[in-house]
Amino acid sequence: MASTRRTFLTQAAAIAGTLGIGARWNQAWTHPPRVGINPVVVEEGQAVMTSTWNHGMLANDAGFQALDAGGSALDMIEAGARLVESDAEGLSVGIGGLPDRDGNVTLDACIMDHRGDAGSVCFVQDVAHPISLARNVMENTPHVMLAGAGAEQYARELGMPVTPLLTEQAQLAWERWKETSNYQPIINIENHDTIGLLAMDDQGRLAGGCTTSGVAYKMHGRVGDSPIIGAGLYVDGDIGGATATGLGEAVMRTVGSFLVVELMRQGASAQEACFEAVQRIIRSMPTEDLQVGYLALGKDGQIGGHAIHSGFNYAQHQRSGTGAPIESVLIDASYGGR
Ligand code: ASP
């Protein structure tokens, strides 16, 4: 027993040493080299980006601008997410997001690339761009997820300013809500506009991101699916990516985005995989009053989206060929069960 424990402690110390745990994390961290995961090179000019909801149109524009400036799929994701996070009129992402029931705006975000690297932050306050913080967690720390005060501390160490996120508009909405304080974990179209983004660049590299202020008037401390790798987002560089919007509790219980990608691995198209992941929810819980929508991008460039109820849409931007203009289109997702 003692030797088992000693072995464990030795192993733990070795792992901690590898991760640098115990040291203060101010230095850029270098990922160990990855082997065996090589992006497929697709035809020049085949980049594609898809993002949830109406704001996905502008997000995709920003993504393609980043691509055209020499960026990667990851840069497309970060640029698109940052644009939506900056919109103080939007009530569901970044500044301007509706607060929790105590009046705090708390943000969740994550990002993932074709190599399976992932970064995430949750329950973050006063940070304007949680997507960039998540990317920093991914690229410059040995960790995948930072939460709350620790994530905020890391933001300050990176020089990100303290940004109050509760706008007058959101505060007024919260004060109106407090008149009844009628929290129902029912997601309707006004308060579930998380942005989930998926992109593939001209080199065939996939990336994804998800950023949100979460469900309006949630309990303080509640974290949804959006920063959870496998729930709100999953990317496998050889298969495709998926992201979710809607009631996070339903997505987390079914590990939805991971499920979508695994279904694609088994041969389902992006559309079929989203459909099947929605059926998994429909089969496992009452869904009259809850909405979930999945969006997927296959390695083949195909996009699919499906939701429990009507109302979920997504933006799709794709080049029509080298040098040709980008085709932008907003699509109403299919919905419902078998
Ligand atoms: N999925 C988010 C959450 O549960 C909500 C949303 O999609 O806006 O926090």
Side-chain angles (χ1 to χ4, degrees), residues 53 92 108 187 191-194 212-215 222-226 244-249 251:
W53 303 111
S92 54
D108 299 331
I187 298 282
N191 67 2
H192 67 78
D193 291 1
T194 290
T212 189
S213 52
V215 178
R222 182 264 189 190
V223 170
D225 61 310
S226 305
T245 181
L247 186 65
E249 281 74 4
V251 177

Side-chain angles (χ1 to χ4, degrees), residues 66-312:
L67 183 75
D68 290 340
S72 63
L74 207 54
D75 297 320
M76 295 169 81
I77 296 299
E78 185 179 11
R82 282 179 68 96
L83 186 94
V84 178
E85 287 175 342
S86 302
D87 177 11
E89 298 298 313
L91 295 172
S92 54
V93 179
I95 189 166
L98 291 171
D100 64 20
R101 66 184 189 183
D102 300 324
N104 309 291
V105 180
T106 66
L107 305 181
D108 299 331
C110 72
I111 195 161
M112 194 165 182
D113 75 6
H114 66 282
R115 301 175 307 175
D117 282 336
S120 164
V121 293
C122 69
F123 190 50
V124 180
Q125 299 182 58
D126 300 328
V127 172
H129 293 298
I131 196 74
S132 298
L133 190 54
R135 184 170 179 176
N136 269 283
V137 172
M138 176 175 91
E139 292 181 335
N140 299 316
T141 84
H143 305 306
V144 168
M145 189 169 198
L146 292 181
E152 290 155 22
Q153 178 185 330
Y154 183 48
R156 306 304 163 236
E157 287 172 11
L158 291 167
M160 295 181 182
V162 175
T163 308
L165 301 171
L166 185 64
T167 57
E168 206 181 312
Q169 183 190 12
Q171 181 163 359
L172 282 174
W174 171 60
E175 277 162 9
R176 272 198 305 278
W177 171 80
K178 276 200 298 180
E179 288 165 15
T180 56
S181 294
N182 183 24
Y183 177 76
Q184 298 169 302
I186 296 172
I187 298 282
N188 59 42
I189 206 153
E190 286 80 36
N191 67 2
H192 67 78
D193 291 1
T194 290
I195 186 151
L197 317 94
L198 302 164
M200 183 163 61
D201 62 25
D202 292 323
Q203 283 76 47
R205 292 173 298 197
L206 283 161
C210 194
T211 178
T212 189
S213 52
V215 178
Y217 318 128
K218 60 196 174 186
M219 288 176 70
H220 188 56
R222 182 264 189 190
V223 170
D225 61 310
S226 305
I228 308 292
I229 299 300
L233 177 74
Y234 195 70
V235 174
D236 182 314
D238 294 331
I239 305 297
T243 188
T245 181
L247 186 65
E249 281 74 4
V251 177
M252 286 190 279
R253 285 184 187 126
T254 52
V255 201
S257 292
F258 182 72
L259 176 59
V260 171
V261 173
E262 291 309 297
L263 288 164
M264 289 196 286
R265 190 191 307 281
Q266 291 162 25
S269 68
Q271 184 61 40
E272 290 164 346
C274 291
F275 177 86
E276 193 47 46
V278 164
Q279 306 317 305
R280 190 72 65 95
I281 297 176
I282 290 174
R283 283 198 296 269
S284 59
M285 62 193 86
T287 51
E288 300 78 37
D289 294 327
L290 76 89
Q291 171 71 310
V292 168
Y294 288 112
L295 177 62
L297 169 62
K299 183 74 193 179
D300 57 4
Q302 296 300 309
I303 291 170
H306 192 79
I308 298 174
H309 301 289
S310 66
F312 171 46

Side-chain angles (χ1 to χ4, degrees), residues 26-50:
N26 285 328
Q27 307 302 319
W29 184 73
T30 310
H31 281 282
R34 294 188 174 263
V35 290
I37 305 176
N38 299 310
V40 174
V41 176
V42 297
E43 258 181 70
E44 183 69 21
Q46 294 301 298
V48 53
M49 183 163 178
T50 184

